């Protein structure tokens, strides 16, 4: 089920890209990377610059986990998990991929050893009107984790860079579609729960 959901979102991403290009609506250039250390492969993505980062902050999905070099300027990197997964399900190998990609895309962080990468679910990102472009805070600091990175691992960075693709997804449309899916799923689960409770009540009545 998780694999099917991830593939479906990838298909919708491609459809959204085509529709956006044809319709001339606002789209964002996003760099996509494929991590093959998990099965199915995970999609890691980031904005080209701070302007693109604003759209990524605004139009993420519940399955997205955000990464950044702690206390230094860097790219905003996200990994998109399969439906039903949480950040506790991220393997050590995938976590290392994400952290190495963030480090490699930080001018200062790439040169330094023994840095920390901060990461949190997208929904925990906080953006207020007085923040600079690309700047972000957190709703709940207890929902923020830090991972120490001793040094850059070229074998990881090179492997990921070989998979890099430039895409122009309609992030807002993807987010709206995902919200619709979530509401439908909640409605289905509520209906199934009500039907199960009704059936159980009927069974108890018949046993009396």
């Amino acid at each position: 089920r998780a694999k099917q959901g991830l593939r479906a979102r990838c298909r919708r991403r491609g459809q959204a890209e085509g529709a956006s290009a044809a319709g001339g609506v606002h789209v964002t250039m996003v760099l996509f990377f494929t991590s093959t250390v998990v099965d199915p492969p995970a999609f890691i993505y980031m904005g080209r610059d701070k302007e693109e980062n604003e759209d990524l902050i605004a139009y993420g999905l519940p399955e997205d986990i955000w990464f950044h070099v702690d206390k230094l300027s860097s790219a905003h990197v996200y990994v998109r998990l399969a439906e039903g997964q949480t950040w506790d399900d991220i393997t050590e190998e995938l976590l290392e991929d994400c952290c190495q990609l963030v480090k490699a895309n930080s001018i200062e962080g790439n040169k330094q050893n023994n840095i920390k990468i901060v990461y949190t679910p997208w929904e925990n990102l906080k953006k207020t009107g007085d923040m600079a472009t690309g700047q972000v805070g957190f709703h709940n600091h207890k929902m923020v984790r830090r991972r120490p990175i001793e040094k850059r691992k070229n074998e990881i960075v090179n492997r990921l860079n070989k998979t890099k693709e430039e895409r122009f997804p309609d992030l807002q449309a993807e987010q709206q579609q995902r919200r619709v899916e979530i509401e439908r799923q909640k409605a289905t689960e509520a209906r199934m729960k009500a039907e199960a409770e009704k059936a159980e009540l009927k069974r108890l009545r018949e046993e009396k």
Side-chain angles (χ1 to χ4, degrees), residues 105-197:
N105 285 276
S106 169
I107 295 175
E108 296 179 67
N110 190 44
K111 301 174 184 177
Q112 298 182 23
N113 291 333
N114 299 310
I115 64 171
K116 289 185 178 180
I117 304 299
V118 60
Y119 64 106
T120 192
W122 167 78
E123 292 179 316
N124 193 40
L125 297 181
K126 179 181 180 181
K127 182 72 180 183
T128 58
D130 59 341
M131 289 181 175
T133 301
Q135 185 180 3
V136 69
F138 309 112
H139 292 290
N140 183 356
H141 285 269
K142 293 182 179 180
M143 286 289 292
V144 178
R145 296 176 182 175
R146 287 172 174 81
R147 179 180 177 90
I149 297 297
E150 180 182 357
K151 62 181 181 180
R152 171 175 168 141
K153 296 181 179 178
N154 287 324
E155 64 274 19
I156 294 178
V157 176
N158 293 340
R159 168 170 52 80
L160 291 171
N161 280 333
K162 288 179 181 178
T163 70
K164 182 169 67 174
E165 297 180 40
E166 293 184 1
R167 300 181 186 175
F168 299 84
D170 187 338
L171 298 173
Q172 186 175 12
E174 283 190 10
Q175 186 186 73
Q176 291 174 343
Q177 177 63 30
R178 184 69 184 115
R179 285 176 174 172
V180 169
E181 291 175 354
I182 291 173
E183 290 304 313
R184 286 176 178 170
Q185 185 176 3
K186 287 181 179 179
T188 299
E189 290 174 353
R191 185 179 67 254
M192 293 176 65
K193 181 180 179 181
E195 291 174 351
E197 290 175 348

